Every structure is written in C-alpha cells, then in structure tokens.
C-alpha cells in the first residue's frame, strides 16, 4: 500500500540514514540558509563544487548530486516556489518538486527518501496547504511505483511536524483506510 510507505518524523534531515535526502534549494544551487545551509555544512565543500558544475535549477525541477559526508548516498536538490498568495501557480510548482524529486530517486535506484518541508521556511508557503500537497503528491506517486520502500517527511519543528501528521491523517481518512499511526 502506498500510504504505509509514508512516515512523518521530527528531526534534522542531515542525520537521516536513507538512500537520498531532498534539499529545499534555491535556483542558484549555491547554498543558502535553512535546510539548504544545514545540508551543505553537513555534506562538506565537495557538494558545493558539484552544485556549481550543475549550474542551477528551475523552480519545480530537481537535480541529483552525491551526499559526500552525509549518511545519505544522494542529495536531490529541488527548488520550491516562493509563496506570493497562491495565484502564481505555487501549488502546481510545489507538486512538481515532489514528483520530480521522486522521479530522480527512482532513476538512481534510491529506495528510501527523506523530504524536508519544501517552501515553508524562507519561501513562506503556508504549512497547512504545503503539507497536504506534499502528502497527496507522494501518495499518488507511490501508488504507481513499487521501487521506493519509504518516504519520510523530516520536520524540523513541532509546528511543521503537527501539520504533516494532520495532513497524513486527513489523507488516510479521505481514502477510507484504517488510521495508522503517523510515525513508524
Ligand atoms: P524554503 O526556502 O524552501 O522555504 P527553508 O530551508 O527556509 O526552505 O525551510 C524549509 C523547512 O526546512 C522549514 O520547515 C525549516 O524549519 C526546515 N529545516 C531547516 N533546517 C532543517 C534541517 N536540518 N532538517 C530538516 N528541516 C529543516
């Protein structure tokens, strides 16, 4: 079942022991604050060298690099939309982030993938809406993919964690399935 492969935890994504972690990057790929800064600090300078070589990434798209000093083998960098009120295609762009990141995970043979809450920090996407999009898009992807074993949402703070847990519960509810615990 697709939904049984989704989990929500609170923590620091740089510590996750998964095949691939996803970075909420900016379009320059040259690093920044938030989760992007944390991933570059933990991976070490070779990550920036590889990102420079790639040159950049459009909003909604994704690129893959090595994980270097991270426990994860790969970092999948995706660029979330900046929230401008919802009328500039933000929802579709955020959907594309999750879809394209998972597509790259599959192409590289990653079986376990950890996501941060894309766009809900510096890019100001409201977390209730963003978490619903994240859960729905990942669930849809997993329902037609049988190679990925686990997608873990790693939420840094309690507020974000609660929103993702709620979104997962709601999603399970709308599907008429038994309500699992949101954590493994
Ligand atoms: P964006 O620019 O896409 O909004 P941010 O990095 O500013 O990206 O924020 C996205 C989310 O990542 C926020 O919920 C933020 O609290 C969270 N975050 C920051 N550091 C980490 C980390 N080490 N692990 C997981 N999530 C993190």
């Amino acid at each position: 079942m697709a939904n049984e492969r989704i989990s929500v935890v609170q923590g620091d994504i740089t510590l996750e022991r998964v095949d691939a972690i996803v970075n909420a990057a900016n379009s320059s790929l040259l690093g920044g604050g938030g989760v992007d800064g944390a991933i570059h600090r933990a991976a070490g300078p070779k990550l920036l060298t590889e990102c420079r070589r790639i040159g950049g990434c459009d909003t909604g798209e994704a690129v893959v690099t090595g994980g270097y000093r991270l426990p994860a083998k790969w970092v999948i960098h995706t660029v979330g939309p900046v929230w401008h009120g919802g009328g500039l295609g933000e929802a579709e762009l955020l959907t594309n982030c999750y879809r394209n990141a998972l597509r790259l995970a599959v192409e590289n043979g990653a079986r376990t993938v950890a996501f941060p809450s894309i766009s809900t920090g510096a890019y100001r996407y409201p977390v209730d809406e963003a978490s619903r999009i994240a859960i729905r898009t990942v669930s849809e992807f997993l329902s037609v993919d049988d190679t990925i074993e686990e997608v873990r949402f790693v939420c840094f703070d309690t507020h974000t964690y609660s929103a993702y847990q709620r979104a997962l519960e709601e999603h399970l509810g709308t599907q008429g399935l038994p309500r699992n615990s949101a954590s493994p």
Side-chain angles (χ1 to χ4, degrees):
M1 283 298 303
N3 297 316
E4 286 161 5
R5 291 182 276 154
I6 300 176
S7 62
V8 175
V9 300
Q10 190 172 350
D12 175 351
I13 200 167
T14 64
L15 304 175
E16 291 295 320
R17 299 197 167 272
V18 286
D19 295 335
I21 65 169
V22 177
N23 182 17
N26 59 55
S27 56
S28 75
L29 295 182
L30 297 181
V35 70
D36 195 6
I39 289 173
H40 275 274
R41 275 194 300 278
K46 287 183 179 165
L47 178 60
L48 187 56
T49 307
E50 189 176 356
C51 283
R52 271 215 188 91
R53 212 176 294 130
I54 294 169
C57 180
D58 289 336
T59 305
E61 301 298 316
V63 299
V64 66
T65 65
Y68 299 96
R69 293 181 195 153
L70 291 163
K73 186 169 179 194
W74 296 285
V75 180
I76 297 169
H77 307 259
T78 186
V79 181
V82 176
W83 178 257
H84 290 292
L88 293 179
E90 291 95 327
E92 194 186 342
L93 289 166
L94 189 62
T95 302
N96 291 347
C97 287
Y98 286 97
R99 219 175 259 156
N100 287 325
L102 287 172
R103 201 174 288 154
L104 272 185
V106 169
E107 279 172 25
N108 286 277
R111 294 188 169 273
T112 51
V113 182
F115 278 97
S117 177
I118 298 164
S119 281
T120 67
Y123 285 180
R124 304 184 313 273
Y125 208 119
V127 70
D128 284 342
E129 285 178 55
S131 58
R132 281 190 213 114
I133 290 171
I135 299 282
R136 186 176 62 233
T137 307
V138 168
S139 172
E140 280 170 8
F141 189 95
L142 293 181
S143 69
V144 291
D145 168 85
D146 56 7
T147 63
I148 293 184
E149 289 162 9
E150 188 193 352
V151 172
R152 199 178 297 166
F153 288 98
V154 182
C155 304
F156 203 49
D157 56 84
T158 311
H159 178 69
T160 305
Y161 173 68
S162 307
Y164 276 75
Q165 261 198 326
R166 216 163 34 239
L168 180 58
E169 291 260 322
E170 274 171 23
H171 183 75
L172 296 174
T174 59
Q175 298 210 324
L177 294 169
R179 283 170 182 258
N180 296 356
S181 153
S183 306

